[in-house]
Amino acid sequence: SQKIEQNSEALNIQEGKTATLTCNYTNYSPAYLQWYRQDPGRGPVFLLLIRENEKEKRKERLKVTFDTTLKQSLFHITASQPADSATYLCALAGGNQFYFGTGTSLTVIP
Amino acid sequence: GAVVSQHPSRVICKSGTSVKIECRSLDFQATTMFWYRQFPKQSLMLMATSNEGSKATYEQGVEKDKFLINHASLTLSTLTVTSAHPEDSSFYICSARPSGSLSWEQYFGPGTRLTVT
């Protein structure tokens, strides 16, 4: 069965620094990978999608990379702000189904 | 656009009773909706895929007779937890895929917190 791991359960960084979150997967070859933000007690909000034939995607302060050889995606938030504090989930997709990682709780310290 | 609502947002019920959760796509039609469950500090686990006008497809290990799904219209899917027990207490989240959209698109509802006492 597929296994999706996100680097750490919690990550604390100083405001203004770049946060880097990792998503590793096994036993799967996803057509694309997505990143979501989830605030406590709320549903996930879609942030970025990257396809298997893409190496990098950017959106404002967000950047995602996708290495299908390493079976890894990196999610970067540059110039981080306290408002970026949330749990970030990666999700693998293929066909009609999605599989979510365990999430990384990011805290940006002012 | 692409707003999904869930009702209720919180529900407390007694063990042995049934609870219905509604998922609505407010400004789009959704042929496919998904139901997830999330336990504290864990990720979302897909329970079932609901297709309008047909039977839901359940993930392995999810009891279809306990978690009844009805997708009677293009904007509404319901999840009924029958004979609920304390171990069913969880955060239930639905998502909806706009009809005719790319397979990766889905928009999540705000979730329903179920507590079974």
Side-chain angles (χ1 to χ4, degrees):
Chain A
S1 63
Q2 57 280 344
K3 187 177 178 183
I4 306 160
E5 288 186 340
Q6 294 190 236
N7 56 326
S8 59
E9 202 173 296
L11 180 65
N12 298 328
I13 64 166
Q14 208 69 38
E15 181 177 5
K17 300 291 187 184
T18 296
T20 298
L21 285 65
T22 305
C23 177
N24 293 297
Y25 60 93
T26 58
N27 300 332
Y28 200 55
S29 295
Y32 43 85
L33 186 146
Q34 298 175 297
W35 283 89
Y36 288 82
R37 169 183 173 141
Q38 186 176 24
D39 290 287
R42 307 292 295 175
V45 174
F46 171 75
L47 296 175
L48 277 171
L49 174 147
I50 186 164
R51 291 182 170 80
E52 60 179 339
N53 60 349
E54 297 176 316
K55 296 290 185 189
E56 183 179 297
K57 206 74 165 292
R58 290 175 184 261
K59 179 183 176 183
E60 298 173 352
R61 295 185 295 111
L62 309 180
K63 184 178 86 169
V64 172
T65 63
F66 194 12
D67 189 325
T68 54
T69 302
L70 291 178
K71 294 187 182 289
Q72 180 183 79
S73 174
L74 299 179
F75 177 77
H76 306 273
I77 305 175
T78 58
S80 59
Q81 305 165 359
D84 296 326
S85 299
T87 294
Y88 292 86
L89 304 166
C90 67
L92 305 185
N96 286 322
Q97 292 188 325
F98 294 81
Y99 299 98
F100 283 84
T102 49
T104 296
S105 175
L106 173 67
T107 300
V108 180
I109 303 164
Chain B
V3 179
V4 176
S5 70
Q6 281 184 241
H7 179 80
S9 58
R10 289 178 177 270
V11 58
I12 301 172
C13 71
K14 291 186 185 297
S15 186
T17 61
S18 295
V19 173
K20 181 186 284 188
I21 302 170
E22 292 185 349
C23 177
R24 291 182 187 273
S25 55
L26 298 185
D27 49 4
F28 64 97
Q29 293 185 330
T31 308
T32 304
M33 291 186 175
F34 303 91
W35 285 97
Y36 294 85
R37 181 167 50 182
Q38 186 176 34
F39 291 106
K41 296 193 181 297
Q42 294 188 23
S43 192
L44 283 74
M45 295 299 294
L46 180 66
M47 297 175 66
T49 301
S50 162
N51 290 297
E52 187 266 338
S54 64
K55 289 184 180 179
T57 303
Y58 290 82
E59 292 297 299
Q60 193 173 7
V62 178
E63 298 174 58
K64 62 180 180 181
D65 294 329
K66 181 170 182 61
F67 298 99
L68 302 179
I69 292 173
N70 184 11
H71 194 159
S73 78
L74 287 173
T75 59
L76 174 64
S77 176
T78 60
L79 168 69
T80 301
V81 183
T82 62
S83 186
H85 288 100
E87 57 265 31
D88 298 323
S89 299
S90 187
F91 192 50
Y92 291 85
I93 307 174
C94 72
S95 71
R97 173 179 296 157
S99 298
S101 70
L102 298 172
S103 61
W104 60 265
E105 266 190 283
Q106 61 174 334
Y107 300 94
F108 285 86
T112 296
R113 174 75 59 191
L114 170 64
T115 303
V116 185
T117 60

